[in-house]
Amino acid sequence: MTERLHRQDPYLLEFDAAVLARREHEGRPALVLDRTAFYAESGGQPWDTGTLGDARVLAVVEDGKDVLHVLDHPIAGERVHGRIDAERRRDHMQQHHGQHLLSKAFVDLAQAATVAFHLGSEDTTIDLDRLVAEEPARAAERLANDVVWQARPVRVSTLTAPEARASGVEPPEGVLADIRVVEAEGFDRQPCGGTHPRTTAEVGVVVITSLERYKGGTRVHFVCGSRALAAFARRERVLADLVSTLSAPLGELPAVARKLKDDLALSERRAKGLLERALEGDARRLLAEARGGGPAPTVASPAVVVAAFDGWPAEDLRLLATRVVALAPAVALLGSRSDKAHLVFAQSEGLPNDVPALLKAAVEHLGGRGGGRGNLAQGGGDRVERLDEALAQARAALSARA
Ligand SMILES: [Zn+2]
């Protein structure tokens, strides 16, 4: 059994201990000590890191009444000196105690109970059992911060189940004695095995960063203490970048961003109109060239438009092909060279060609794939250098049929 020194003194960062057992945990060496100041992962709070002798402590795991210290390499000797990473411990104390205060504030002001707590390396969350809107959440945040700034003493006591109940704490199910109760004086009392500061003031500040609907309740993302400072610094950097990129003062960023979005939508509408007009012009020009001063095309003698373009997206080819075949009885065999070769074939209503078969033969020549239905088919392949050949073959296949 390992004595948990952090339960008595969460500020103890160095200790000496005797090695009780050497084991292995997930392929790494692990030590069981007679006493430890390392907190093992439990109750939503991650483990401490640090060193034992000259080995790094990578993880600390509860194993019944023992605590396993998982090391990066084995160490010799019957006694070891342990050292806890102070910054990580303080971070966990700030987030965890901040969580106690925020959870209690949600109970008091929004009748919302915390059903889960997660303390990650960046994100900290509590899950509430009901939906809580922005306004009551901000009220809970204010209350938690009031309690932080009142620097109330934090006390830990070990009670029996009846004693716990008498003090208003519901003991964990099936636990009759040695119930560790953490109390922020005059505000909150709950059973907890985690590391907590001497006073609420050490939490620094509690900041809710976002709320989301989660499993019928609310997931509250928040940061405390040094994490709040880091989150503020991160946001400041992003905002400074935006201020500089958009050349607008901080307070005007939302309005400027909205205007940019509106301008972009307008530009996209105009670009679409321009594209349609340009394609209309291209379609008429291609049909006139195909006609070459001859008689107007008919269903019996349709125009055959063959054209290749550089850098056109397949979507634009398709728009042009459908325009060509809408303007006059025609077959359009269009191609484009970009990172790959694109083909779009189309024919007017009432013409007899098997457009998908024609396209299939052409894309196979390009080493690619494609398909379509009825009067429209498209595809492409990697053999860009064969585009003209593929179009000429399709043109020849049409003539052979005619
Ligand atoms: Zn706790």
Side-chain angles (χ1 to χ4, degrees):
M1 177 181 155
T2 311
E3 183 190 354
R4 319 285 178 99
L5 300 172
H6 52 79
R7 288 191 177 161
Q8 296 309 317
D9 183 4
Y11 294 88
L12 181 69
L13 296 173
E14 289 196 46
F15 66 100
D16 290 292
V19 176
L20 293 185
R22 292 173 198 277
R23 295 188 195 157
E24 204 182 69
H25 183 80
E26 292 173 359
R28 291 192 177 273
L31 289 187
V32 178
L33 308 175
D34 64 339
R35 59 210 293 267
T36 188
F38 279 93
Y39 183 80
E41 179 175 35
S42 67
Q45 181 177 330
W47 64 89
D48 286 321
T49 55
T51 54
L52 281 179
D54 64 352
R56 285 290 305 163
V57 175
L58 304 176
V60 187
V61 188
E62 284 192 336
D63 183 8
K65 295 199 161 190
D66 293 338
V67 174
L68 279 183
H69 302 76
V70 183
L71 307 180
D72 66 343
H73 65 80
I75 52 172
E78 291 315 304
R79 291 197 66 80
V80 286
H81 184 71
R83 213 184 287 264
I84 314 288
D85 287 339
E87 217 171 290
R88 180 174 161 101
R89 164 65 67 81
R90 183 172 62 191
D91 172 51
H92 290 168
M93 280 163 67
Q94 286 180 326
Q95 311 314 314
H96 191 157
H97 196 70
Q99 177 263 313
H100 277 217
L101 303 181
L102 190 59
S103 287
K104 181 58 162 49
F106 272 111
V107 169
D108 286 0
L109 299 184
Q111 294 77 51
T114 294
V115 292
F117 166 47
H118 172 75
L119 204 180
S121 58
E122 279 175 21
D123 200 27
T124 316
T125 58
I126 51 174
D127 294 340
L128 302 176
D129 64 353
R130 53 181 295 175
L131 281 177
V132 177
E134 176 79 18
E135 207 176 303
R138 290 301 163 198
E141 182 188 56
R142 272 196 303 280
L143 174 57
N145 280 301
D146 279 344
V147 173
V148 168
W149 298 329
Q150 285 157 2
R152 298 192 188 210
V154 174
R155 272 188 285 271
V156 175
S157 44
T158 306
L159 308 177
T160 61
E163 286 169 342
R165 268 195 206 95
S167 74
V169 174
E170 187 50 37
E173 223 175 59
V175 183
L176 299 176
D178 291 333
I179 297 158
R180 191 170 183 269
V181 172
V182 174
E183 177 188 10
E185 192 183 85
F187 181 65
D188 174 50
R189 205 181 269 143
Q190 48 184 295
C192 177
T195 50
H196 287 273
R198 292 182 193 101
T199 84
T200 57
E202 287 186 42
V203 172
V205 66
V206 180
V207 181
I208 293 174
T209 51
S210 67
L211 301 171
E212 59 172 316
R213 282 165 178 264
Y214 184 75
K215 288 185 179 172
T218 306
R219 174 163 282 184
V220 182
H221 297 259
F222 67 100
V223 283
C224 302
S226 62
R227 282 195 194 195
L229 191 64
F232 181 78
R234 259 198 317 276
R235 283 162 169 72
E236 281 298 292
R237 278 196 297 278
V238 170
L239 289 172
D241 191 356
L242 283 175
V243 161
S244 146
T245 304
L246 299 179
S247 304
L250 186 68
E252 287 173 26
L253 285 182
V256 168
R258 269 193 296 276
K259 183 170 184 311
L260 278 176
K261 220 175 139 192
D262 291 347
D263 288 352
L264 180 64
L266 188 68
S267 295
E268 280 172 350
R269 277 200 301 278
R270 289 193 59 198
K272 193 159 173 265
L274 286 171
L275 178 67
E276 276 166 11
R277 268 147 54 196
L279 290 174
E280 180 78 14
D282 285 340
R284 288 186 187 282
R285 179 177 54 77
L286 289 170
L287 277 168
E289 283 169 11
R291 186 175 166 185
T298 61
V299 171
S301 174
V304 178
V305 169
V306 183
F309 303 89
D310 285 319
W312 279 41
E315 169 68 7
D316 289 4
L317 280 186
R318 198 176 59 77
L319 291 172
L320 179 57
T322 47
R323 252 183 181 70
V324 166
V325 303
L327 284 171
V331 178
L333 307 174
L334 306 183
S336 165
R337 304 172 195 91
S338 55
D339 53 325
K340 54 189 283 188
H342 302 291
L343 286 179
V344 175
F345 292 178
Q347 71 179 358
S348 306
E349 285 293 327
L351 296 191
N353 304 292
D354 185 345
V355 174
L358 207 58
L359 181 110
K360 193 161 179 286
V363 287
E364 272 167 13
H365 194 66
L366 299 175
R369 295 183 324 145
R373 263 193 310 178
N375 292 328
L376 182 70
Q378 69 182 77
D382 293 326
R383 310 282 306 257
V384 180
E385 77 285 356
R386 288 188 170 185
L387 182 71
D388 289 327
E389 265 174 59
L391 286 170
Q393 271 184 19
R395 176 77 172 87
L398 270 185
S399 304
R401 266 194 104 263

